[in-house]
Amino acid sequence: MTTSAVKNNFLPPGLVSNLQEVLLNRKGAQNDKDQQSKPKDDDPSTQPSSSDSVPDVAADDADSTKPVVLVTNADGIESPGITCLVDALVRQGLCNVNVCAPQSDKSVAGHSFTLKETIAVTPTDIHGATAYEVSGTPVDCVSLALSGALFSWSKPVLVISGINRGSSCGHQMFYSGVVAGAREALFNSVPSISISLDWKNDESQESDFKDAVSVCLPLINAAIRDIEKGAFPKSCLLHIGVPKSPLTNKGFKLTKQSLWSSKLCWQAKSSTRNLAAGRFLPNQQSLGMQLAQLGRDASAAGAARKLVTQRKNIEVVESVGIAGKSDPDRKVKYFRLELLDKKQEEEDEDLDFRALENGFVAVTPVSLAMHVEADVNAAASKWISSALEVEQ
């Protein structure tokens, strides 16, 4: 990790020093951290009965002197990635842990939010943390949490989004709900980190999430410390890509966002489906609610409307006439989206997906600024000038 690479990625030397320390002395640093936490157990001002006691940790969480950390994700509030992360943060007792996450899988929701619809927010319990599940997207969760309408605090020191099941490299960051959660925090000038585990269906197991947390925790702690010192980067979020075997990683590596992408392949499906079972209803809405909505939206006699319902990657488009009667002249088609891996031609070892393939923990700064390469900008300028000349 060179100084020049750090400058190009807008990372301060202090953060790079933290990364290098974790890389060289990860186990030693963890032991030191455990030793430093022991005196706190003997401190009469805290008087905890057990370091592993959830009630005691919850009491510590009420300590207003501790920094507030907001945790969200995209896989859903019951997914193992976020529960393992929250459990570790609560057990540490170094910060007040608050959770606001989607109630269902929104891993490919991108930076979408819910508009002109009401979302439901339900309190829940995750290892003693103050937590809410939201019937919306990761962006909804972070935006709501930062609005002041849900939590009593005004602003967290850090937003952590993850841990996501599957990598979020290259172009996947545009589709990724976990990166969007961190990006929304950055939109609101709150430092943020997103985390993804390079999950492999035939190799990975649930315990890998716990291992991924142990790998990322030193960096998270360093981020909280440096944010309070004003040394954490303000112009970008950090995306942490954890390799498929977290505990055998080769160390942290500062990486660049690649052009890696999956191929979106649409497959036609049979139209002989039983729609009456409500298998396509979104967000677990009841058939009665759908019919009520249809009645409210019904237009004048003879008008047609489209009812679009979606569950996961299946979409049904149904043309309906007056009184909800099907239109026999319109044929309904069904399609299912599948993601296929594409061979990647980029060979730069500092790219995010290459670092993951090689067993490194990839740390990628993601900026909000959309930079255009000089040659692309020049080509666009030339074309616009020539186009305007032709029109005149």
Side-chain angles (χ1 to χ4, degrees), residues 291-303:
L291 292 176
Q293 182 65 42
L294 179 62
R296 287 193 296 268
D297 293 343
S299 56

Side-chain angles (χ1 to χ4, degrees), residues 198-254:
D198 190 20
W199 180 273
K200 302 298 181 183
N201 289 330
D202 298 330
E203 305 174 38
S204 300
Q205 49 192 356
E206 298 295 313
S207 61
D208 290 336
F209 286 107
K210 186 175 181 180
D211 296 338
V213 170
S214 67
V215 169
C216 296
L217 209 53
L219 186 59
I220 292 173
N221 292 336
I224 296 174
R225 181 181 65 244
D226 284 353
I227 289 170
E228 294 182 314
K229 295 179 180 178
F232 192 80
K234 298 179 175 63
S235 58
C236 65
L237 66 91
L238 296 182
H239 179 71
I240 305 175
V242 182
K244 61 181 180 180
S245 300
L247 295 184
T248 60
N249 74 83
K250 297 179 180 178
F252 288 85
K253 187 170 187 177
L254 193 64

Side-chain angles (χ1 to χ4, degrees), residues 119-130:
I119 62 173
V121 179
T122 308
T124 186
D125 178 72
I126 304 181
H127 301 292
T130 302

Side-chain angles (χ1 to χ4, degrees), residues 1-17 19-20 254 365:
M1 188 179 304
T2 64
T3 304
S4 61
V6 173
K7 184 179 295 185
N8 292 338
N9 286 280
F10 308 104
L11 290 180
L15 180 59
V16 175
S17 176
L19 290 174
Q20 291 172 333
L254 193 64

Side-chain angles (χ1 to χ4, degrees), residues 27-39:
K27 292 184 179 179
Q30 184 66 36
N31 292 335
D32 291 342
K33 181 191 67 177
D34 293 339
Q35 292 176 1
Q36 292 174 0
S37 65
K38 289 182 180 178

Side-chain angles (χ1 to χ4, degrees), residues 322-336:
I322 186 172
K325 296 180 180 179
S326 298
D327 186 346
D329 296 330
R330 289 181 178 267
K331 184 178 181 181
V332 180
K333 297 183 179 180
Y334 303 88
F335 296 90
R336 189 184 186 91

Side-chain angles (χ1 to χ4, degrees), residues 94-117:
L94 301 179
C95 57
N96 294 327
V97 184
N98 296 260
V99 182
C100 190
Q103 68 180 18
S104 58
D105 187 356
K106 302 292 182 181
S107 56
V108 290
H111 208 97
S112 63
F113 53 85
T114 305
L115 189 64
K116 298 181 180 180
E117 291 182 19

